[in-house]
């Protein structure tokens, strides 16, 4: 029994073809939207590539760009088929291509669904990328005179100001690295010498943060040095004082920014996938309804369209049997080639008569 069998007359077939033609051009527009989203996400990721550990995060935007291009190509081709299906003579040339084309559409829709899922599932990979990238970038904050790293201070400062964040996980991350360049340190000062000697790595560590960590909306002037020293500031208690620094880490801020962006894009891609599935189902109905026309010379005759010629269970069984036959055929060919190789390797014995 065919799956989703529908009866069509000439009027219904024409309406279906016209509706699908319009839907395909809407799908082309949707493909342009998917392509644009991938391009936008790629640009946004490249803006902060200096604070990211690897390029794995670009897999999602690259996939969106590819799906957008394929969507435009597939739906533009389907629009042409639907337009030509209004004329039986023009439609005849497309008949041999429709089954392979529908199989490709099915694979395309599977890939589109997987890309939509990736948009929701990339949070974990992105979090690891940002955590390692930010940690390494903060180490180069002081290298303003080093070629290739001199831009890192500006990058991190602009990042902390724009996203209202401080450090990797929080402002205390700055206590663990030397973020002040050696060129601004007076090595003849006893305080500087003591701080450098106080740790094994010989770094100048302070309980302070860069100016970009300061919250400008705080009523109190920014306390960015000697943050943990209560006696260094008037009416100040490190344990209870509400610090006028950004409390959120940049990893969390960037992760929230990109994750919310990818979730929105994933929702849009899912809607596009649903629309593409409906177009594919409609094209299959149009294809089968035109193929089942009993009298091609009578355009007014009725016909039947369906999604699957047999039930879902029977179709699954026949597909498995076909795959098994293909596997057995390959085994037989491999065996035959092996036997030929063995025969070719044997050298005939030559009897010599003395």
């Amino acid at each position: 029994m065919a799956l989703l069998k529908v009866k069509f007359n000439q009027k219904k077939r024409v309406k279906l073809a016209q509706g699908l033609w319009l839907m395909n051009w809407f799908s082309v527009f949707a493909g342009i939207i998917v392509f644009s989203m991938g391009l936008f996400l790629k640009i946004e990721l490249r803006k902060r590539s200096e604070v990211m550990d690897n390029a794995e995060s670009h897999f999602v935007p690259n996939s969106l760009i590819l799906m957008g291009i394929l969507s435009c190509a597939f739906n533009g081709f389907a629009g042409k088929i639907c337009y030509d299906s209004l004329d039986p003579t023009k439609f005849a040339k497309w008949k041999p291509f429709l089954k392979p084309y529908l199989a490709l559409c099915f694979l395309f829709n599977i890939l589109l669904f997987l890309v939509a899922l990736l948009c929701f599932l990339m949070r974990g990979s992105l979090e690891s990328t940002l955590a390692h990238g930010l940690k390494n970038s903060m180490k180069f904050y002081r290298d303003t005179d080093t070629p290739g790293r001199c831009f890192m201070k500006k990058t991190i400062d602009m990042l902390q100001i724009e996203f209202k964040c401080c450090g990797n996980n929080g402002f205390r991350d700055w206590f663990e690295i030397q973020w002040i360049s050696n060129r601004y340190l007076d090595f003849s000062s006893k305080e500087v010498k003591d701080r450098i000697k106080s740790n094994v790595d010989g770094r100048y560590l302070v309980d302070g943060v860069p100016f970009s960590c300061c919250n400008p909306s705080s009523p109190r002037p920014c306390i960015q040095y000697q943050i943990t020293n209560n006696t260094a500031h008037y009416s100040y208690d490190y344990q209870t004082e509400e610090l006028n620094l950004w409390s959120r880490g940049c990893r969390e801020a960037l992760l929230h920014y990109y994750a919310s962006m990818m979730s929105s894009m994933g929702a849009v891609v899912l809607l596009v996938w649903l629309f593409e599935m409906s177009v594919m189902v409609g094209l299959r109905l149009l294809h089968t309804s035109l193929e089942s026309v009993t009298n091609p010379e009578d355009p007014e005759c009725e016909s039947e369209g369906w999604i699957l010629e047999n039930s879902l269970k029977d179709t699954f069984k026949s597909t498995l049997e076909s795959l098994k036959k293909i596997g057995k055929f390959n085994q037989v060919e491999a065996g035959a080639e092996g036997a030929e190789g063995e025969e070719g390797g044997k050298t005939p014995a030559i009897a010599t008569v003395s």
Side-chain angles (χ1 to χ4, degrees), residues 295-315:
N295 186 9
E297 296 180 358
D298 182 17
E300 298 293 333
C301 68
E302 289 188 350
S303 62
E304 290 183 342
W306 55 82
I307 303 299
L308 295 175
E309 193 170 358
N310 300 313
S311 65
L312 194 61
K313 185 178 179 181
D314 293 339
T315 303

Side-chain angles (χ1 to χ4, degrees), residues 186-198 204:
D186 181 10
F187 287 95
S188 62
S189 170
K190 184 179 182 301
E191 182 189 352
V192 173
K193 288 180 180 179
D194 290 343
R195 283 192 178 273
I196 291 174
K197 290 178 181 178
S198 64
Y204 182 75

Side-chain angles (χ1 to χ4, degrees), residues 4-15:
L4 197 62
K5 185 181 288 187
V6 183
K7 287 189 176 182
F8 289 91
N9 53 29
Q10 174 66 6
K11 188 177 180 180
K12 285 184 178 180
R13 286 194 295 267
V14 169
K15 282 186 176 180

Side-chain angles (χ1 to χ4, degrees), residues 28-29 45 60 87 96 121 134 151-152 157-158 164 182 194-195 210 233 276 325 345 348 352:
V28 170
F29 180 69
L45 289 171
V60 171
D87 186 353
L121 299 176
L134 280 166
F151 62 89
M152 193 58 72
D157 281 334
M158 294 303 295
K164 299 179 180 180
N182 287 336
D194 290 343
R195 283 192 178 273
H233 312 284
E276 291 282 358
K325 286 179 181 178
T352 56

Side-chain angles (χ1 to χ4, degrees), residues 192-347:
V192 173
K193 288 180 180 179
D194 290 343
R195 283 192 178 273
I196 291 174
K197 290 178 181 178
S198 64
N199 61 83
V200 179
D201 297 330
R203 296 174 297 169
Y204 182 75
L205 304 180
V206 294
D207 55 343
V209 295
F211 78 97
S212 53
C213 284
C214 295
N215 181 0
S217 61
S218 173
R220 181 169 185 160
C222 184
I223 298 174
Q224 64 178 112
Y225 294 107
Q226 296 184 349
I227 295 172
T228 58
N229 187 358
N230 291 335
T231 61
H233 312 284
Y234 176 73
S235 185
Y236 177 76
D237 185 359
Y238 170 65
Q239 299 296 332
T240 60
E241 181 78 14
E242 185 179 351
L243 298 175
N244 50 6
L245 306 175
W246 302 121
S247 58
R248 185 168 65 161
C250 290
R251 178 186 58 81
E252 181 188 347
L254 282 172
L255 184 63
H256 176 73
Y257 174 71
Y258 285 118
S260 60
M261 186 188 298
M262 286 185 180
S263 296
S264 301
M265 290 180 178
V268 173
V269 175
L270 275 179
L271 290 174
V272 173
W273 173 74
L274 290 172
F275 194 76
E276 291 282 358
M277 286 294 292
S278 62
V279 171
M280 186 182 70
V281 168
L283 191 61
R284 174 62 176 169
L285 287 172
L286 179 66
H287 167 224
T288 51
S289 66
L290 288 170
E291 276 199 336
S292 62
V293 172
T294 53
N295 186 9
E297 296 180 358
D298 182 17
E300 298 293 333
C301 68
E302 289 188 350
S303 62
E304 290 183 342
W306 55 82
I307 303 299
L308 295 175
E309 193 170 358
N310 300 313
S311 65
L312 194 61
K313 185 178 179 181
D314 293 339
T315 303
F316 183 71
K317 283 183 178 179
S318 61
T319 304
L320 283 179
E321 288 175 2
S322 300
L323 291 173
K324 286 179 182 178
K325 286 179 181 178
I326 292 171
K328 288 179 181 178
F329 181 73
N330 290 334
Q331 288 177 0
V332 169
E333 280 191 342
E337 288 176 1
E340 287 177 3
E342 289 176 2
E343 289 177 1
K346 291 179 181 178
T347 54

